[in-house]
Amino acid sequence: MNAPRIDTLPPGVVSLGDHEAHARSVLDASAWAYFAGGAADELSLTDNREAWNVLHLRPRVLRPLAGGHTRVSLLGRELAHPILLAPVAYQRMAHPDGELATACAAAAQQAGLVLSTQASLPLEQIADAVRDDPERGPLWFQLYLQHDKGFNLELLRRAEAAGYEALVLTVDAPCHGARDRERRAGFRLPPGVRAVNLDSLPPRLARPLAPGASGLFDDLLLDAPGWDDVAWLQAQTHLPIILKGILDPEDAREAARLQVGGLIVSNHGGRTLDTSLPTATALPSIVHAVGDSLPVLVDGGIRRGTDVLKAMALGASAVLVGRPYIFGLANAGALGVAHVIRLLRDELEIAMALCGCRTLQDIPPTLLVA
């Protein structure tokens, strides 16, 4: 598979909400539960979206707007716009071209891409498809630390050799959330879809449990990563390490003390701990905690260009989206993903113009009224 196929957009799809509605008719019940669902009662899934909605914009008028742009600097690179694609596993469940289609669409739209550890295509294949495109956005690799340190190092070296420019270490999921929707749907990976980059991971051997012991606390979580693992990872690579899943300012300050490359304010899209703080609510305190020492990105519930504008007003350096581009992928492959990115970017430009902001640097905190 060297290039993604050419699909067509479904008629009447003109927003990210339209993409989601149409994808529900395309994906089977199991895949829909996996991609669209959240943890437990899915309150965080809903709250992420509502937290952006309750922030109102107070626009300025008659401002100079000619020559405006959406460019932003991030980790030493100038990006055409601040929209990146968050890591999402098993994308071949949504479309046969999976992560290849996503990567090509991201490159075509100059969006950053974060490839999941649990991608359903090899990390080298994805990097080879887009690495040499001079117009593409950043290419990052998301890392879940596994129980085998030797395997973690092997995976890191593969990402470095393939040309990934940063590591995104997910730190908010030492275990899975209670995903009721997936259980109700009887979720199973379909034949032929697996986390191919984990094929050489040695099996994890369960520890014998004493009577009354917990299989979670006394076995699985003995391998959960800690701050010392972040320091170990830093010592193994020249790549910047971005911590994904930060909601508490003290965690942000500890990350700054370790001089990581950046932070992503995230509650895992509401897929792990239900009733956790919405990311739009958490973002200002994280930005305040680290000041100018680290770039702070945010994901969770972003569905409109106005949401991107609000995130920048709250101090974010950039944003990531996950489910929306997966719905675009399900609807029309690479074209659907590209359409989602383009819609967000166009809506961001419109919102900037209507709020009197010529550039992202011109967005003041006073633009927002809660």
Side-chain angles (χ1 to χ4, degrees), residues 119-284:
S120 50
L121 290 172
L123 65 90
E124 292 86 357
Q125 181 183 357
I126 302 309
D128 288 347
V130 299
R131 183 180 52 237
D132 297 329
D133 184 342
E135 299 298 318
R136 67 167 174 82
L139 181 61
W140 299 348
F141 183 72
Q142 179 258 354
L143 185 62
Y144 283 113
L145 285 175
Q146 306 297 319
H147 60 271
D148 187 285
K149 188 164 283 189
F151 175 82
N152 291 329
L153 192 55
E154 173 191 327
L155 193 59
L156 166 62
R157 296 290 177 247
R158 286 176 60 192
E160 290 175 333
Y164 289 86
E165 301 157 48
L167 296 176
V168 175
L169 180 64
T170 294
V171 296
D172 64 350
C175 64
H176 284 298
R179 298 180 188 169
D180 294 352
R181 195 194 303 206
E182 287 182 26
R183 292 200 293 255
R184 292 187 191 104
F187 172 74
R188 296 288 185 277
L189 287 173
V193 176
R194 68 184 194 282
V196 297
N197 295 300
L198 300 180
D199 280 351
S200 61
L201 176 64
R204 182 185 176 279
L205 301 178
R207 297 170 176 86
L209 295 175
S214 164
L216 184 61
F217 288 105
D218 299 312
D219 182 13
L220 181 66
L221 291 181
L222 296 180
D223 297 318
W227 288 107
D228 55 337
D229 293 292
V230 177
W232 173 82
L233 194 60
Q234 288 178 300
Q236 306 305 314
T237 184
H238 65 279
L239 296 178
I241 296 170
I242 300 159
L243 302 188
K244 180 179 184 291
I246 300 295
L247 293 175
D248 187 276
E250 187 51 46
D251 287 335
R253 284 187 282 268
E254 180 62 25
R257 284 191 284 270
L258 285 176
Q259 297 182 308
V260 301
L263 305 176
I264 300 175
V265 176
S266 174
N267 60 17
H268 219 98
R271 292 171 61 80
T272 52
L273 177 63
D274 201 20
T275 73
S276 60
L277 198 63
T279 53
T281 305
L283 176 60

